[in-house]
Amino acid sequence: MRNLDEQTITQAVLARNAGTEDRRLHEIMTSLVQHLHAFARETQLTEQEWEKGIEFLTAVGQICTPTRQEFILLSDTLGLSTLVTAQNHKKPAGCTEATVFGPFHVADAPQFDLGANISSGLPGTPWFVKGKVQSADGAPIPHAKIEVWQADDAGFYDVQKPGLEAHHGRAILQANAEGHYQFRTIVPDCYPIPHDGPVGKMLETLNRHPWRPAHLHFMITAPGFQRLVTHVFREGGDYLDSDAVFGVRSSLIAEWVSHESGLDPYGNQIDSQYYTLEFDFILHHA
C-alpha cells in the first residue's frame, strides 16, 4: 500500500486490521478508525492541533497512579462513562438505576458488621443510613454484599490523603437474611473532582466547573442478580443539575433528614445534630 492520501488512508487501515481472528475486536477497531478519521476530516484537524491532542493524552497517562485514575476522570467528564453505563444497564421500571463507577473505589475495603461506624474516626456530622435490598417483585434479597465508599465533609476520599495507614469512609457489609442493612458514618459534602491535572485544565478551558453534588457510593452484588453500581444524592444539594461527570438520576436523589440532639436510631444518647437516610435498592435478575 503506497501513495496513500486523505481519501484512501481509511480503507487501507481497515484492510490492514482485517486479519484479526477476534471478531469483536475487529468490529470495535473498524468503527474506531472510521470515526477517528471522520473526526479529523470534519474538523480539518491540523498537525499542530493533533500534537496538542497527543500531549494532552500523554499528560493524562503520566498523572495516573494506583490511587488516581485520570483516564476515568476524562471518560466521566466527557459523558462517555454515563453513556456506556446507560446502554449496558437498561432495566425494567422500578429497578434502582446505575450510575458512574468513579475513580475512588478500592478492592480491599475493610469489612464491618451491620450497624457499625464505617467512618473509622473521620470527624463530621453523624449520619445513620439504613434500608433493604430486594428484587423487583418486593422479595428480600438475603445476604447481599454491599460495598460503600464516600468522601469526607471536606470533599476528600481516603485515597487522596497521603500517609494514611488504614481506610476511612468505606466498607464492605452484608445484608441480613431479610435483606436489611444499616450503618453509621458522617455526612459527606459536595466536592470537586481532582482538577490539578490535564482534565482539570480541559474543564477550565471549556469554562466548566469540576464539582460533584454530595453523594454516597454503593456497589451491591448477590447471586442471580445483576451487579448494581450507583450513588445516593442529597435532595436540595448543590450541583445536582450540573454534576461534572453527568452522574445524577432523579430516582437516586433522597432526603437526608436532619435531627436535633437526643436518642439516635440505635437508642443511644447523641449530643449533636445528626442525619438519617433510608434508601431501598431494587436489583434486576441476571
Side-chain angles (χ1 to χ4, degrees):
M1 298 180 185
R2 301 183 183 183
N3 305 320
L4 297 169
D5 60 24
E6 63 182 291
Q7 303 303 324
T8 58
I9 180 61
T10 303
Q11 288 304 316
V13 176
L14 297 181
R16 188 73 60 86
N17 291 344
T20 177
E21 296 180 357
D22 187 328
R23 304 321 299 167
R24 178 60 175 164
L25 175 62
H26 179 263
E27 178 185 9
I28 290 173
M29 289 302 298
T30 296
S31 183
L32 176 64
V33 169
Q34 289 173 331
H35 282 81
L36 280 175
H37 287 209
F39 159 74
R41 291 189 181 97
E42 179 183 335
T43 62
Q44 286 295 294
L45 194 66
T46 68
E47 291 175 292
Q48 293 76 18
E49 288 166 341
W50 185 224
E51 286 175 3
K52 288 293 185 182
I54 290 174
E55 289 174 4
F56 172 75
L57 292 174
T58 300
V60 169
Q62 288 173 335
I63 203 172
C64 291
T65 70
T67 57
R68 175 166 182 165
Q69 233 304 349
E70 193 81 356
F71 272 109
I72 292 180
L73 291 179
L74 179 60
S75 174
D76 288 351
T77 55
L78 293 179
L80 183 59
S81 298
T82 287
L83 171 59
V84 173
T85 296
Q87 67 186 12
N88 282 277
H89 294 277
K90 298 172 183 176
K91 301 173 182 178
C95 290
T96 304
E97 292 187 270
T99 190
V100 293
F101 193 70
F104 296 117
H105 175 264
V106 301
D108 59 344
Q111 298 199 19
F112 286 89
D113 293 332
L114 292 179
N117 186 344
I118 71 166
S119 68
S120 300
L122 286 176
T125 303
W127 193 24
F128 297 85
V129 181
K130 70 176 182 178
K132 60 180 180 290
V133 183
Q134 60 189 35
S135 62
D137 60 4
I141 300 176
H143 310 303
K145 179 182 178 182
I146 303 171
E147 296 189 53
V148 185
W149 63 104
Q150 67 169 99
D152 62 20
D153 64 355
F156 293 100
Y157 290 81
D158 52 2
V159 294
Q160 295 177 284
K161 303 174 183 179
L164 282 183
E165 296 182 356
H167 288 303
H168 300 272
R170 64 179 72 238
I172 298 175
L173 306 161
Q174 188 175 51
N176 67 18
E178 289 75 41
H180 292 278
Y181 72 91
Q182 61 178 348
F183 58 90
R184 175 178 172 171
T185 184
I186 63 162
V187 176
D189 203 351
C190 51
Y191 63 86
I193 63 171
H195 57 104
D196 57 341
V199 170
K201 291 178 181 177
M202 179 192 76
L203 294 179
E204 182 179 1
T205 304
L206 292 170
N207 197 27
R208 287 176 53 186
H209 71 71
W211 286 86
R212 297 217 63 204
H215 60 273
L216 185 61
H217 290 266
F218 286 88
M219 181 164 68
I220 304 175
T221 54
F225 292 88
Q226 293 182 4
R227 185 184 76 166
L228 173 66
V229 175
T230 196
H231 303 1
V232 179
F233 297 92
R234 183 174 189 168
E235 184 177 13
D238 295 329
Y239 307 110
L240 289 171
D241 294 312
S242 62
D243 181 9
V245 305
F246 308 98
V248 178
R249 305 289 177 272
S250 295
S251 66
L252 303 178
I253 300 172
E255 184 179 7
W256 301 9
V257 182
S258 174
H259 304 267
E260 299 303 320
S261 59
L263 294 180
D264 69 22
Y266 300 164
N268 300 314
Q269 180 66 33
I270 188 167
D271 296 325
S272 65
Q273 180 192 34
Y274 67 94
Y275 282 78
T276 58
L277 167 67
E278 184 168 0
F279 197 88
D280 297 338
F281 296 97
I282 301 175
L283 305 190
H284 183 43
H285 286 279

